[in-house]
Amino acid sequence: MTPLVRSVCSADTLTRDALAVLQPGFTGTTPPDWLLRRLGEGLVSVGLFGRNVVGPAQLAALTGRLRAEREELIVAIDEEGGDVTRLEVRGGSSFPGNHALGAVDDTGLTRAVARELGRRLADCGINLNWAPSADVNSNPANPVIGVRSFGADPQLVARHTAAYVEGLQSAGVAACTKHFPGHGDTAVDSHHDLPRIAADLSTLQERELVPFRAAVAAGTRAVMSAHILLPALDAEHPATLSPAALHGLLRAPEAEGGLGFDGLIVTDGMEMQAVSATYGIERGSVLALAAGADALCVGGGLADEDIVLRLRDALVRAVREGELPEQRLADAAARVRALAGRARSAGAGEGEGEGAAPAPGIGLTAARRALRVTAAGPYRPLPEPVHVAAFTPLANIAVGDETPWGVAAELVRLLPGTETTTCTAEAAAAAGTAALVDGLLTAAAGRRLVAVVRDVHRHPWMADALHDLLAARPDTAVIEMGVPQAPPQGALHIATHGAARVCAQAAAEALTGRRPSPDE
């Protein structure tokens, strides 16, 4: 039985430290009163999500109101660009994601894209971005990383992770490199369950950790832990709750085989099932702090005052009962406050990039360069309205289902009168593949067809339907907006390496041979 350990600091100090390590979210597009009160009581961080964003002016007003309550404040957001966007959650991102940047493999371009994204965040008053994803996409069946990764080669991922960190931080926004120690070799989404990675320590060192070492060398201000189990490292606890992963690997000196990271360790969302289903959110949060985490991300799903008070009280109670060392909580709170102080002047810029001009078109430029076009033979650009067959998989939680994807909207702009049929796994199961394809052919009514898929290699129903459609209409063009793992198919095959709005725009331009005029 653990002996009772009395706190040597005041109850007010304990409470302020417990609030300081939380990164909560909230609902609405203006800060609620309870959040403003907690900022006055010691809360140092706030996390923003798509539900909080209408547009740049509203977002700047929101963050300005928060800072009127507490000037030294971390305002964080999950803005990867590409498929995962919060700034443009309802329209699609102006930036391609990591996989597109990795396909181009120009670190200067990656740095420029990250800087422009950071500039836009800083203009809205955001000073911590839960990005980039440094995961090596080593498992093609991965349901949650995919195009969020720069690629499958550790060295490629490492150089682009470093470039992204440098670009983002040159705009005055702290990077939070994720998901340590690497979420790429998983076939399970940690939002739903606990992924297990069977890799041994040597594989971990040679593959997963390579990009994180590069991020640390590039000066990443923060690292986000993953809710994944690596038995070779810790057979009992997921990385977020594992002293071996956080203290023994991420913090350990390089001479001892660690990464020597001394910045802020942020957890992935504590309400995710990989942790909360086994430990509960309060117990999990205590274990994460004890393991070496400094900031607890919560608010993607639980976003009210109750969760903040529950976690605050759980941490205070854990210190008073001797379960969480008081000094560990104090050290974590000090790291959060240090970053808040450093990030106080978001948008001021750092280093050689300070004062660089905005680059509003850099995202579309990158998306165009990322296209990989394969033609089965001579291909005539589409001159008139087409019919789009959108094969739509279930969106994972990280991406969300609010953000539109596909090429239909962009084709309508270039070819007015274009129509779309959406096909899902449920429809295929209910009607059967043959009936689904017959319905598409009937709807197309003789028009040229454009089939849009996303990770066709992971979805047998999609692969079967596409096969039958191409057998019936071999002149169909195919747009793959996920990881292009399957061989190219169709009269024309375009791999966009992501489903961002600019990726769709680039694909539509390639299909039609047209670019919209500035007035369109």
Side-chain angles (χ1 to χ4, degrees):
M1 182 176 176
T2 304
L4 183 66
V5 177
R6 298 293 180 188
S7 171
V8 297
C9 68
S10 69
D12 182 64
T13 299
L14 262 186
T15 299
R16 296 188 74 84
D17 284 352
L19 283 170
V21 301
L22 303 182
Q23 288 192 345
F26 62 94
T27 57
T29 55
T30 57
D33 289 343
W34 69 261
L35 183 64
L36 298 176
R37 286 198 307 272
R38 301 305 167 192
L39 289 173
E41 295 171 4
L43 192 67
V44 183
S45 306
V46 175
L48 301 180
F49 298 85
R51 61 177 180 249
N52 306 121
V53 179
V54 174
Q58 167 267 331
L59 195 53
L62 186 159
T63 59
R65 179 67 186 90
L66 292 171
R67 286 202 172 84
E69 198 67 36
R70 184 184 188 96
E71 189 174 4
E72 293 192 351
L73 177 70
I74 295 172
V75 181
I77 200 166
D78 190 7
E79 182 59 46
E80 299 177 16
D83 291 30
V84 179
T85 178
R86 311 306 178 212
L87 285 184
E88 300 178 275
V89 65
R90 292 167 191 85
S93 181
S94 301
F95 302 93
N98 286 0
H99 208 57
L101 296 172
V104 178
D105 196 13
D106 177 346
T107 53
L109 179 67
T110 296
R111 192 176 291 106
V113 166
R115 175 168 176 77
E116 175 62 15
L117 188 150
R119 186 190 66 79
R120 296 190 194 183
L121 291 173
D123 281 352
C124 294
I126 294 162
N127 52 17
L128 174 64
N129 191 7
W130 293 318
S133 169
D135 306 299
V136 177
N137 200 34
S138 51
N139 187 342
N142 197 310
V144 70
I145 300 301
V147 294
R148 301 167 67 196
S149 166
F150 289 110
D153 173 32
Q155 297 299 330
L156 178 145
V157 176
R159 60 180 173 265
H160 286 280
T161 296
Y164 194 106
V165 167
E166 291 163 359
L168 189 66
Q169 294 189 164
S170 73
V173 176
C176 183
T177 305
K178 62 188 183 185
H179 306 82
F180 181 84
H183 208 310
D185 189 18
T186 61
V188 172
D189 183 346
S190 53
H191 290 90
H192 302 298
D193 206 347
L194 178 62
R196 178 188 177 97
I197 295 180
D200 57 26
L201 288 177
S202 63
T203 301
L204 194 68
Q205 291 283 358
E206 296 166 7
R207 189 177 65 189
E208 273 74 18
L209 294 181
V210 173
F212 288 97
R213 291 187 187 280
V216 172
T220 186
R221 302 276 185 258
V223 169
M224 177 177 283
S225 66
H227 305 330
I228 54 176
L229 187 69
L230 294 102
L233 190 62
D234 187 326
E236 182 180 356
H237 299 102
T240 293
L241 313 183
S242 171
L246 301 187
H247 181 73
L249 183 59
L250 184 52
R251 291 276 191 229
E254 293 183 69
E256 298 174 14
L259 275 67
F261 179 64
D262 193 40
L264 191 74
I265 299 178
V266 182
T267 71
D268 208 343
M270 293 304 297
E271 66 266 52
M272 292 165 62
Q273 292 296 300
V275 169
S276 63
T278 301
Y279 299 91
I281 192 166
E282 291 99 333
R283 172 77 176 152
S285 295
V286 170
L287 291 174
L289 263 291
D294 302 308
L296 303 170
C297 180
V298 64
L302 299 173
D304 56 19
E305 184 175 23
D306 178 66
I307 190 62
V308 171
L309 299 180
R310 282 168 55 194
L311 294 184
R312 179 200 67 183
D313 293 347
L315 296 173
V316 170
R317 185 167 57 251
V319 170
R320 288 176 174 163
E321 294 178 355
E323 188 178 6
L324 175 64
E326 183 179 295
Q327 191 59 50
R328 172 78 275 274
L329 178 62
D331 289 346
R335 272 201 175 89
V336 176
R337 294 184 188 114
L339 183 59
R342 184 168 195 166
R344 179 175 176 176
S345 55
E350 303 174 1
E352 62 183 2
E354 185 173 353
I362 191 67
L364 181 56
T365 297
R368 287 168 174 159
R369 290 182 62 185
L371 292 186
R372 297 295 178 267
V373 181
T374 306
Y379 187 83
R380 180 170 56 90
L382 301 175
E384 55 194 22
V386 298
H387 196 86
V388 177
F391 294 95
T392 304
L394 183 67
N396 69 58
I397 291 177
V399 173
D401 56 11
E402 286 185 279
T403 305
W405 75 283
V407 300
E410 296 300 328
L411 283 175
V412 167
R413 279 208 304 157
L414 298 176
L415 303 174
T418 290
E419 297 177 344
T420 301
T421 298
T422 299
C423 307
T424 64
E426 291 79 5
T433 301
L436 183 74
V437 172
D438 285 345
L440 281 171
L441 296 174
T442 300
R447 287 185 175 185
R448 294 279 293 279
L449 275 160
V450 176
V452 184
V453 296
R454 197 170 182 175
D455 291 341
V456 69
H457 68 282
R458 291 201 302 112
H459 303 287
W461 71 270
M462 192 185 296
D464 291 344
L466 181 62
H467 176 272
D468 289 0
L469 181 62
L470 291 175
R473 289 286 300 272
D475 62 336
T476 298
V478 178
I479 315 298
E480 169 61 87
M481 302 196 79
V483 177
Q485 188 76 22
Q489 304 175 72
L492 188 75
H493 184 276
I494 300 177
T496 62
H497 301 91
R501 176 175 52 81
V502 286
C503 295
Q505 184 175 341
E509 292 171 354
L511 281 171
T512 62
R514 291 184 56 195
R515 291 186 178 181
S517 68
D519 297 329
E520 287 188 80

